[in-house]
Amino acid sequence: MSPGVSPFSPSIPCTSDACDRIDSPVGHKHSACTPDLTGKSLLTFSALNTFRNCPRKYKHRYIDQLQGRERADTLAFGSLIHAALETWYRATDDADRLWTILDDLDRAYPNRAGDPHAKRTWQLARAMVSGYAARYPQEDFEVVEVEKVFQAEIRNPDTGRPSQTFVMAGKVDGIVRLDGELYLLEHKTAGSIDANYLDKLWTDTQIALYSHYLRELGSPIVGVIYNVLLKTRIQQHAGESQEEYEARRAVLAAKNKSGRSTAKRQLPETDDEFQARLAEWYAKPEAFHRERIYLSEDRLAMLQDEVWEITQQYLDARRRGKWLLNTSNCFSFQRPCAYLPYCQSGFNPNVRDNLFEIRPPHEELEGLDDAATGETLENPF
């Protein structure tokens, strides 16, 4: 293969002179060098942020295409709710849209009767979306776009010239019009909502950055409406076993002068009883929250500087084939990095094969219509 030619699309020249130097241990060439229809490579915020936090982690995910075989429950549940809300807002004229979503959830968990974890997720998801439908049967905003995918030029902030190597790609949950102005609609599921959580929304760099690029594409976004859905911690009552009941009754009888107890065995909570208790919880005002944040022009300008600088650092790392390990990021978010065992093993191929599978990066863009071309992005990379 000639230098400077993308291995994924021989007819389109790759703009990176370092493309052929990348040697993936799993036999894959540099996925980030796969060009889009403009001839440039697509970058997402997730990829940029991963590189900024740990270049080695970036190599694992975006070059070697390693993805953990087990997906975090929080991510899976968030994706489930995002899919439900996509259906909700795509079918605003359909009076049966809630039933469509509930049917989808039923089909998503066919084995819930024999799988306690699947059953718990199914119950929570049904209660959450039913409560959401009751809370927001009508909106005070107009839905303009749902799950919009975009591509936009990454520009040098000093010259205004576009990058010759990359374009930014992303997807937003929605664009809505409120009081004559456009906002991004961002869905989030959360375990709790307090002052710290709301303060952190201001630091949501991804959404601010996507707002900037959508402005470049002609949508004058002025702010973000965060649509937060709270995950309740209440559990379905399991009831008492016969042994537990007998032990409890004996303790109560011992405390009674008569030596007897009228206690009855606590039976398991039925699905209908638990669903009714969940519905009562999701009728509470605090179960859902909307937070509107306006975008600062100074902050958007600063983000452009950051993106450009990171792309230059990225190009330098790629040119030299140096992907440094940032050990200060190994335990961010109070949990170990998914790639920690692989790094600790000295990149042992057996550890890699046991813990990871090959999966194309940027999954958030797969299967969605390309806003620029109208074609389906089955695998944009």
Side-chain angles (χ1 to χ4, degrees), residues 222-277:
V222 300
V224 184
I225 298 175
Y226 286 96
N227 181 36
V228 188
L229 297 82
L230 203 60
K231 292 183 290 185
T232 179
R233 292 186 173 86
I234 63 176
Q235 301 286 330
Q236 188 169 15
H237 298 316
E240 290 177 306
S241 65
Q242 185 64 31
E243 291 75 15
E244 290 170 336
Y245 164 62
E246 294 291 351
R248 182 171 63 87
R249 189 175 65 167
V251 171
L252 293 174
K255 294 179 180 178
N256 196 320
K257 292 180 179 179
S258 67
R260 303 170 62 182
S261 173
T262 59
K264 296 182 179 179
R265 182 180 173 184
Q266 297 172 355
L267 299 176
E269 187 176 31
T270 67
D271 289 347
D272 288 343
E273 290 170 341
F274 184 47
Q275 203 67 39
R277 197 156 56 91

Side-chain angles (χ1 to χ4, degrees), residues 267-311:
L267 299 176
E269 187 176 31
T270 67
D271 289 347
D272 288 343
E273 290 170 341
F274 184 47
Q275 203 67 39
R277 197 156 56 91
L278 285 171
E280 182 179 357
W281 194 92
Y282 274 105
K284 296 180 178 179
E286 61 268 28
F288 305 102
H289 181 81
R290 296 272 172 87
E291 187 76 12
R292 193 189 314 186
I293 294 179
Y294 287 94
L295 299 169
S296 159
E297 298 296 334
D298 290 341
R299 183 166 180 242
L300 293 182
M302 182 176 66
L303 289 176
Q304 293 178 66
D305 288 339
E306 289 182 11
V307 169
W308 184 257
E309 289 303 317
I310 294 171
T311 59

Side-chain angles (χ1 to χ4, degrees), residues 118-146:
K119 182 179 175 182
R120 160 71 181 168
T121 304
W122 170 76
Q123 291 170 322
L124 179 58
R126 283 181 65 93
M128 181 180 282
V129 297
S130 297
Y132 188 88
R135 176 67 60 85
Y136 303 111
Q138 301 292 331
E139 297 285 4
D140 57 358
F141 53 69
E142 172 195 356
V143 177
V144 178
E145 297 271 7
V146 177

Side-chain angles (χ1 to χ4, degrees), residues 193-210:
I193 303 174
D194 55 19
N196 286 337
Y197 181 88
L198 297 179
D199 283 344
K200 288 180 180 177
L201 293 179
W202 183 87
T203 67
D204 190 346
T205 302
Q206 176 177 348
I207 296 304
L209 199 61
Y210 284 1

Side-chain angles (χ1 to χ4, degrees), residues 304-374:
Q304 293 178 66
D305 288 339
E306 289 182 11
V307 169
W308 184 257
E309 289 303 317
I310 294 171
T311 59
Q312 301 314 296
Q313 294 170 20
Y314 171 87
L315 287 171
D316 182 62
R318 193 173 73 177
R319 185 178 305 111
R320 296 186 295 115
K322 300 292 184 182
W323 306 97
L324 302 181
L325 177 65
N326 179 13
T327 55
S328 64
N329 197 252
C330 291
F331 289 91
S332 59
F333 304 108
Q334 309 302 317
R335 59 176 180 266
C337 171
Y339 300 99
L340 182 63
Y342 185 37
C343 294
Q344 288 176 324
S345 74
F347 312 112
N348 185 313
N350 293 327
V351 173
R352 179 195 65 207
D353 295 342
N354 287 332
L355 298 181
F356 303 97
E357 60 186 355
I358 304 301
R359 193 182 303 168
H362 313 302
E363 293 173 304
E364 66 270 30
L365 301 180
E366 291 182 8
L368 296 176
D369 290 341
D370 182 345
T373 66

